[in-house]
Amino acid sequence: MATGACISAAAVKAASVVNYENAGTIEFVVSNDFSFYFIEMNTRIQVEHPVTEMVTGIDLIQAQLLIAQGEPFDIEQEKIEIQGHSIECRLNAEDPAHQFRPSPGLITSLRVPGGFGVRMDSAVYAGYEVLPYYDSMVGKLIVHAETRELAIAKMLQALSELEIGGLKTNRAFHLEILNHPDFLEQRIHTKWLETDWK
Amino acid sequence: MKKVLVANRGEIAVRIIRACRQLGIETVAVYSDVDRDSLHVQLADEAFCIGSKDLKDSYLNMNNILVAVGLSQADAVHPGFGFLSENPEFARLCEQVGVKFIGPSASVIEKMGDKSVARETMIAAGVPVVPGSDGLIESATDGKEVAKKLGYPVLVKAAAGGGGRGMRVIQAEEEFELHFQAAKQEADLAFGDGRMYFSGGRQGSFCCEL
């Protein structure tokens, strides 16, 4: 079995041994030699759930509601097909030039990207004030395309359309990563930002 | 389910409200006094202010949220992510007052949400786990000893954690105390639970969420 399939099997096993009900996420870490290890389970919907939704075509929040309602669960594992590639960028009101410190304030203007396979999950609008008391995430930009290369191209286009006026955000930082040779050639790992960035 | 109370704010609250409305389920938003103009408040059928801006007075205040549940007569609560989503006490209270908590049962949250118990459960089930300590770090002094055995850099995480809060990579022994206490404080503030444990994380690894 490929590493991905082994990880999936381990995830199913982990959920089964605790008789898990409703949505949850199992996190693994994969080392250079492709061995993998359980890190933790998040017993809730994941911040990145749109990525799963885009590649499976399953509305996970709707599924959560239907499961809670006690409706018969009619999604068969064998019928779930991963289609294409999806990327999510978390858009944060923060200043990459200063250790990503939060940069709250009034959103003076907003231009939201669009197009086929482009999705923005957000709660902000022009005239909304990002408050300093809470998480600095202002939204999530998600794209879906046939291949990883096309998904990257789509995200680059979407990010170049996006304008959040009045705030410092990590938009340009996402663009730099998406254009970086290491990212394009999949030479990224969990310490990449600290050790190999720039 | 006829009416769902969304115990969260921001984009996830909006995401949940949209999904409910598409299924013909009514929605109740809760908000802190500074969040009055938020989109989730605008999009929900009803909205209740549950306190002031401090998390412990509003989005982490179980009593105030349950009062809103009672007043709105919601029959289910969706916790979103963060805040009370992995708090077994909140899930149990929902069960006790007869509203459906949209998520696993309190006992499963307890088991998996407590990251050190989850590790032990997975070890018993034969799922490979990251090399780390097999329990909680009782003190900075104990932690330093285990870290020496594991080899730096080490990753310390909050037992109640999630979303990157209460988590620090510690590069060397001299920094241990400082970073450990900072992470613990952050966890205490964010989750009301300052228990910490080690999680591995080697050089050159990928993180995979399924």
Side-chain angles (χ1 to χ4, degrees):
Chain A
M1 253 198 288
T3 308
C6 292
I7 294 174
S8 299
V12 171
K13 191 173 182 183
S16 318
V17 294
V18 291
N19 291 316
Y20 197 82
E21 186 192 297
N22 218 302
T25 305
I26 321 258
E27 288 185 23
F28 293 93
V29 65
V30 180
S31 63
N32 301 345
D33 61 357
F34 293 104
S35 47
F36 64 90
Y37 307 92
F38 169 87
I39 305 177
E40 63 179 18
M41 178 164 197
N42 301 137
T43 55
R44 51 159 169 83
I45 192 72
Q46 196 75 353
V47 182
E48 290 79 14
H49 74 273
V51 168
T52 310
E53 295 183 326
M54 302 307 263
V55 297
T56 60
I58 298 168
D59 181 334
L60 291 180
I61 304 286
Q62 186 184 77
Q64 281 196 297
L65 295 168
L66 295 176
I67 292 165
Q69 251 170 354
E71 301 206 4
F73 192 64
D74 58 0
I75 304 168
E76 285 173 47
Q77 187 71 43
E78 294 71 35
K79 292 200 178 140
I80 299 175
E81 253 185 83
I82 305 290
Q83 291 201 327
H85 195 94
S86 177
I87 300 173
E88 175 178 310
C89 289
R90 284 196 204 189
L91 304 167
N92 293 339
E94 60 188 20
D95 185 359
H98 293 97
Q99 288 87 45
F100 298 96
R101 72 174 171 216
S103 166
L106 185 72
I107 295 180
T108 51
S109 65
L110 183 67
R111 188 167 73 194
V112 177
F116 184 66
V118 177
R119 164 178 171 184
M120 177 123 155
D121 279 19
S122 165
V124 301
Y125 51 85
Y128 174 80
E129 189 181 351
V130 177
L131 300 168
Y133 322 113
Y134 304 116
D135 200 277
S136 61
M137 189 169 80
V138 291
K140 305 185 303 205
L141 188 55
I142 306 112
V143 297
H144 182 223
E146 264 173 67
T147 64
R148 184 172 187 267
E149 290 69 34
L150 292 170
I152 291 170
K154 203 173 270 196
M155 184 59 91
L156 287 171
Q157 172 60 26
L159 283 168
S160 67
E161 283 177 36
L162 176 74
E163 258 181 36
I164 303 176
L167 293 181
K168 287 202 169 66
T169 72
N170 59 351
R171 187 190 76 99
F173 180 67
H174 282 307
L175 283 169
E176 280 184 64
I177 290 179
L178 289 162
N179 279 313
H180 197 287
D182 283 354
F183 183 80
L184 295 171
E185 287 153 42
Q186 307 211 49
R187 288 192 304 260
I188 40 167
H189 50 81
T190 53
K191 302 284 187 306
W192 182 75
L193 270 186
E194 292 155 45
T195 58
D196 301 324
W197 172 246
K198 300 253 166 130
Chain B
M1 270 175 353
K2 287 193 174 61
K3 200 188 261 189
V4 170
L5 181 138
V6 182
N8 215 300
R9 66 184 297 282
E11 66 83 24
I12 191 61
V14 170
R15 169 77 184 89
I16 296 161
I17 290 166
R18 284 177 177 148
C20 287
R21 294 180 61 106
Q22 286 165 6
L23 287 175
I25 298 169
E26 283 181 68
T27 51
V28 183
V30 292
Y31 62 97
S32 70
D33 57 2
V34 292
D35 264 346
R36 209 169 289 276
D37 297 327
S38 292
L39 196 60
H40 76 288
V41 175
Q42 293 173 26
L43 296 185
D45 297 292
E46 296 170 50
F48 289 83
C49 182
I50 49 165
S52 61
K53 65 180 194 301
D54 290 340
L55 289 180
K56 64 175 180 8
D57 296 328
S58 50
Y59 296 105
L60 290 178
N61 190 313
M62 295 185 247
N63 284 341
N64 291 3
I65 292 170
L66 288 170
V67 168
V69 169
L71 290 171
S72 64
Q73 295 186 295
D75 43 25
V77 173
H78 197 309
F81 48 66
F83 296 151
L84 295 170
S85 63
E86 295 184 271
N87 185 315
E89 193 191 342
F90 183 61
R92 192 161 285 128
L93 280 171
C94 287
E95 283 165 29
Q96 279 175 347
V97 299
V99 293
K100 176 75 188 166
F101 176 84
I102 302 175
S105 68
S107 63
V108 170
I109 298 177
E110 213 146 51
K111 201 171 207 170
M112 298 304 268
D114 189 317
K115 312 302 178 190
S116 59
V117 177
R119 276 177 64 87
E120 285 158 26
T121 309
M122 289 307 122
I123 293 167
V127 175
V129 304
V130 168
S133 65
D134 290 335
L136 295 169
I137 311 170
E138 301 298 342
S139 67
T141 321
D142 283 5
K144 250 188 246 179
E145 253 169 61
V146 180
K148 203 180 275 176
K149 274 187 238 158
L150 292 170
Y152 286 93
V154 292
L155 179 63
V156 295
K157 284 182 121 175
R165 272 169 301 180
M167 188 173 94
R168 288 285 189 291
V169 179
I170 306 178
Q171 300 289 350
E173 188 167 339
E174 341 31 297
E175 298 170 8
F176 190 91
E177 182 110 21
L178 181 76
H179 287 296
F180 175 75
Q181 298 301 356
K184 194 176 169 66
Q185 232 170 41
E186 197 173 285
D188 225 353
L189 216 66
F191 315 109
D193 182 343
R195 293 170 310 145
M196 305 294 296
Y197 77 109
F198 281 107
S199 183
R202 312 166 162 195
Q203 202 72 27
S205 48
F206 311 91
C207 195
C208 174
E209 300 180 358
L210 283 168

